[in-house]
Amino acid sequence: MTHIVVNQDLCTRCGICVKVCPSGIIDPVDETHLPQVQDENILHCLYCGHCEAFCPSEALVLNLRPDEKVPLPTGAGTISPEDIAFYLKKRRSVRHFTGEPVPKEKILEVLDIARYAASGTNAQPVQWLVVHNPEKVRKIAELTIEWMRTLLNTPHPMSGYVPALISAWEQGYDVICRGAPHLLFAHIPEESPIAPVDAIIAFTHFDLAAPAFGIGTCWAGFVTAASMFYEPLQKELDLPAGRKFAYAMMFGNPKYKVYGIPRRKPLEVTWK
């Protein structure tokens, strides 16, 4: 099977596909030779799509579900430096939510963006678990508090910190999930040494894309820790065999809007 499909009428033989291929497996092109990948080099392909994405004449298609190729309209995705700066700077962790659930269809739209996040060797190891039912979110928060109780009077680094959280919970304050209606978990292969970073990159994509859809997010560190170490919570979430949690995020419709940008520490850069 041809690994890359090239339209000879559109191909200008510019050789950009050869240069941008991370694996260097596309043969050099000239006036008589179109880009191609030898059969013995196909196994070295990362299926990253660089060859296709950087082709200025759109003459090349990676032969991986080519019928799913989406054309990129002229100017699509172009954002001014000023707009992207304000968009990213105004991003806030949301801890107050309305009672209205986020439709599953909208969640899938954001996750579909997150699947394009970079990953080591383009392995794309991240899968998602969405806890959409608010009652189940509450159950997860309860199990997280249970885990915190096991840390009391132990050498654990959080031992001195959890009493205040437990006390607040007992007084009726959800200090774990902040009343969020939904939780999102990223899970990865147990044995992969680089997948934890891949998961954070993918989660950051979700975190940054969500506000454009009217969704508020907050990284759920307490739930993450409990999901990694507390067996009752692991059983509740019931991941497939061979998978482990990478991180969790609470999300929902934000109760309040953002009207300003807070201060941050001055930028510190070392040049060499």
Side-chain angles (χ1 to χ4, degrees), residues 1-253:
M1 180 183 294
T2 303
H3 194 59
I4 54 177
V5 181
V6 181
N7 185 322
Q8 62 180 355
D9 294 327
L10 293 178
C11 182
T12 63
R13 278 78 167 176
C14 65
I16 291 177
C17 58
V18 179
K19 297 174 182 177
V20 300
C21 175
S23 299
I25 60 173
I26 301 178
D27 289 349
V29 298
D30 54 35
E31 293 182 0
T32 58
H33 294 90
L34 293 170
Q36 66 174 335
V37 177
Q38 301 295 331
D39 290 346
E40 60 269 23
N41 290 327
I42 291 177
L43 290 177
H44 299 294
C45 180
L46 301 178
Y47 294 93
C48 64
H50 269 31
C51 55
E52 177 180 312
F54 284 97
C55 178
S57 60
E58 299 186 59
L60 186 153
V61 178
L62 179 64
N63 202 5
L64 173 69
R65 305 191 302 277
D67 54 312
E68 296 180 14
K69 180 179 179 180
V70 178
L72 185 64
T74 302
T78 301
I79 305 173
S80 72
E82 183 180 50
D83 284 343
I84 192 66
F86 277 123
Y87 180 81
L88 294 178
K89 288 178 180 178
K90 69 178 285 191
R91 179 264 166 207
R92 309 302 307 146
S93 292
V94 174
R95 297 179 178 87
H96 297 87
F97 302 90
T98 69
E100 183 182 4
V102 179
K104 292 181 179 180
E105 295 76 17
K106 184 180 288 189
I107 298 170
L108 289 173
E109 284 187 81
V110 186
L111 287 174
D112 190 61
I113 295 172
R115 73 187 175 99
Y116 285 85
S119 59
T121 67
N122 194 39
Q124 303 172 51
V126 182
Q127 296 178 19
W128 305 96
L129 170 64
V130 181
V131 183
H132 196 258
N133 187 331
E135 293 182 4
K136 292 185 179 295
V137 174
R138 178 74 180 182
K139 176 64 175 178
I140 290 168
E142 291 175 353
L143 289 169
T144 300
I145 288 292
E146 282 187 15
W147 168 70
M148 289 181 173
R149 295 186 197 279
T150 69
L151 306 182
L152 293 170
N153 302 315
T154 71
H156 193 279
M158 288 183 62
S159 177
Y161 185 61
V162 295
L165 295 170
I166 295 171
S167 176
W169 175 269
E170 291 174 343
Q171 294 175 55
Y173 298 102
D174 181 4
V175 290
I176 303 302
C177 293
R178 302 288 178 166
H182 316 302
L183 276 172
L184 177 64
F185 291 85
H187 58 92
I188 54 177
E190 287 182 341
E191 304 303 323
S192 173
I194 60 175
V197 176
D198 295 334
I200 296 301
I201 296 171
F203 240 138
T204 301
H205 273 55
F206 182 91
D207 185 43
L208 295 179
F213 292 79
I215 298 173
T217 61
C218 187
W219 296 74
F222 296 141
V223 174
T224 298
S227 67
M228 290 179 175
F229 302 111
Y230 194 48
E231 187 174 350
L233 178 52
Q234 293 170 347
K235 289 182 177 180
E236 173 73 18
L237 295 170
D238 192 26
L239 280 187
R243 307 286 298 184
K244 67 178 181 179
F245 290 106
Y247 220 92
M249 181 172 287
M250 61 190 89
F251 70 98
N253 289 301

Side-chain angles (χ1 to χ4, degrees), residues 250-267:
M250 61 190 89
F251 70 98
N253 289 301
K255 188 174 182 178
Y256 307 116
K257 293 184 178 181
V258 176
Y259 294 97
I261 298 173
R263 265 66 60 204
R264 285 292 182 263
K265 293 180 181 179
L267 181 66

